[in-house]
């Protein structure tokens, strides 16, 4: 597995956006116009490749101080259950540490909470709905 970091304006983000669109819009029913947002312009985007094919992505951006936000973690359906998501999160944590982060926060779909708990994340806030899908705030100290 190979990982590549991308950022606007120097990089073409079509591949990470295509993975996100496939997972969040086509598969899970999120609105296309809400999936790609202004945060993408300031985020670092990671994409995972297997045999040259883009199979997973996530984005990472600074919130405030030493706190970074991990989001839009998406693994294409045919490649789930192979540890790709965990490897992607580990790469994002490594990058955040390199940028001076001491903590990562995220909003996890409640159905994915156990995945994040296995990566060391703890529930830290209230539940909320994002486009009708239950989410929970989580964090991990690095």
């Amino acid at each position: 597995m190979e990982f590549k970091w991308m950022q606007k304006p120097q990089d073409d983000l079509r591949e990470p956006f295509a993975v996100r669109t496939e997972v969040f819009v086509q598969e899970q029913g999120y609105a296309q116009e809400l999936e790609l947002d202004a945060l993408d312009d300031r985020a670092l985007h990671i994409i995972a490749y297997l045999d040259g094919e883009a199979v997973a992505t996530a984005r990472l951006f600074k919130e405030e101080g030493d706190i970074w936000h991990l989001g839009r973690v998406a693994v294409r359906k045919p490649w789930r259950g192979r540890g790709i998501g965990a490897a992607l999160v580990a790469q994002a944590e490594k990058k955040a540490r390199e940028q001076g982060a001491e903590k990562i926060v995220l909003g996890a779909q409640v159905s994915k909470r156990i995945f994040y708990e296995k990566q060391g994340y703890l529930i830290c806030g209230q539940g909320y709905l994002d486009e009708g899908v239950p989410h929970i705030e989580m964090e991990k100290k690095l």
Side-chain angles (χ1 to χ4, degrees):
M1 186 169 1
E2 294 178 38
F3 296 97
K4 181 178 179 185
W5 284 97
M6 301 176 174
Q7 188 173 20
K8 276 187 164 184
Q10 64 269 27
D11 295 311
D12 181 351
L13 300 178
R14 282 184 282 190
E15 282 185 313
F17 289 172
V19 173
R20 284 172 42 189
T21 297
E22 180 179 325
V23 172
F24 295 120
V25 177
Q26 296 169 359
E27 183 182 334
Q28 296 182 4
Y30 284 84
Q32 176 73 44
E33 63 273 10
L34 299 176
E35 173 52 30
L36 307 178
D37 60 27
L39 292 172
D40 287 318
D41 291 341
R42 67 183 183 102
L44 298 168
H45 300 264
I46 186 172
I47 190 148
Y49 295 94
L50 278 177
D51 299 323
E53 186 171 358
V55 298
T57 192
R59 73 178 181 188
L60 183 68
F61 58 89
K62 187 173 185 174
E63 286 223 341
E64 58 184 55
D66 59 5
I67 300 172
W68 284 66
H69 187 104
L70 177 63
R72 301 303 202 267
V73 178
V75 179
R76 294 174 61 206
K77 197 171 191 172
W79 290 274
R80 292 183 195 149
R82 300 182 188 189
I84 295 168
L88 190 73
V89 169
Q91 289 292 314
E93 291 170 358
K94 178 181 174 190
K95 178 64 94 175
R97 275 190 215 93
E98 291 170 358
Q99 302 298 316
E102 292 187 18
K103 180 167 63 173
I104 292 182
V105 297
L106 57 85
Q109 292 178 0
V110 170
S111 64
K112 307 298 186 273
R113 186 198 75 191
I114 293 172
F115 166 79
Y116 288 106
E117 287 176 340
K118 288 179 180 177
Q119 311 316 309
Y121 288 80
L122 302 172
I123 294 172
C124 65
Q126 300 295 316
Y128 62 95
L129 293 178
D130 181 2
E131 289 196 60
V133 177
H135 283 67
I136 191 75
E137 295 174 15
M138 301 185 82
E139 69 180 13
K140 181 177 181 179
K141 293 185 182 182
L142 300 175

